[in-house]
Amino acid sequence: MLRSASSSLVKVFKKSLVPATRVGSVLPSRLSHGGPVESDEEFDCRYEAFFNRKDIDGWEIRKGMNDLAGMDLVPDPKIINAAMYACRRVNDYALAVRFLESCKDKCGPKLNEIYPYILQEIKPTLIELGIDTPEELGYDKPELALENVYDM
């Protein structure tokens, strides 16, 4: 008797707390389709102009780099060059090297194909600005790595 009374009480509470909705009244909508599509050239020009702004500060540079890192793409070398100049304007050497590391990581399984091309294209800018690559700084090798016990 107590069990039936408690179950009916639970049903009453559920109905009073959770509003009844029809299954058909909630329709999924796809809002991302049908909008304007940006071409690759427009995308590159937009980010290049963003990093080339004279009044850009460190936070905005990090925001732009973080947005690029969150996308499924490897930035074009002209975007990377503009980002390197922006890092030099705010005098943030560490951010420039970190962005190069991020670009290297974005290459994924095609690292041996894409990353040498990127370095070839941005090398004059790096030399002009005095920025070393992560490989030149030794960041591609772990500093305190221990030998694997299975390889001993």
Side-chain angles (χ1 to χ4, degrees), residues 18-109:
V18 179
T21 58
R22 292 183 166 197
V23 176
S25 66
V26 179
L27 297 174
S29 62
R30 299 181 72 171
L31 300 176
S32 64
H33 296 287
V37 178
E38 187 177 41
S39 71
D40 291 341
E41 292 80 21
E42 292 170 341
F43 177 84
D44 292 345
C45 289
R46 180 167 56 98
Y47 270 95
E48 190 176 7
F50 176 79
F51 287 121
N52 283 334
R53 289 185 9 228
K54 298 297 179 200
D55 62 338
I56 196 167
D57 62 353
W59 187 89
E60 290 175 325
I61 294 172
R62 284 178 177 79
K63 171 80 169 94
M65 290 178 177
N66 193 25
D67 290 345
L68 284 171
M71 296 179 194
D72 188 24
L73 56 85
V74 179
D76 197 65
K78 61 183 179 179
I79 295 175
I80 298 172
N81 283 336
M84 294 297 111
Y85 281 112
C87 289
R88 175 52 73 195
R89 278 195 304 276
V90 297
N91 200 22
D92 198 342
Y93 183 83
L95 182 60
V97 174
R98 191 56 125 177
F99 184 59
L100 291 175
E101 284 182 313
S102 171
C103 293
K104 181 179 179 180
D105 288 341
K106 294 297 286 183
C107 294

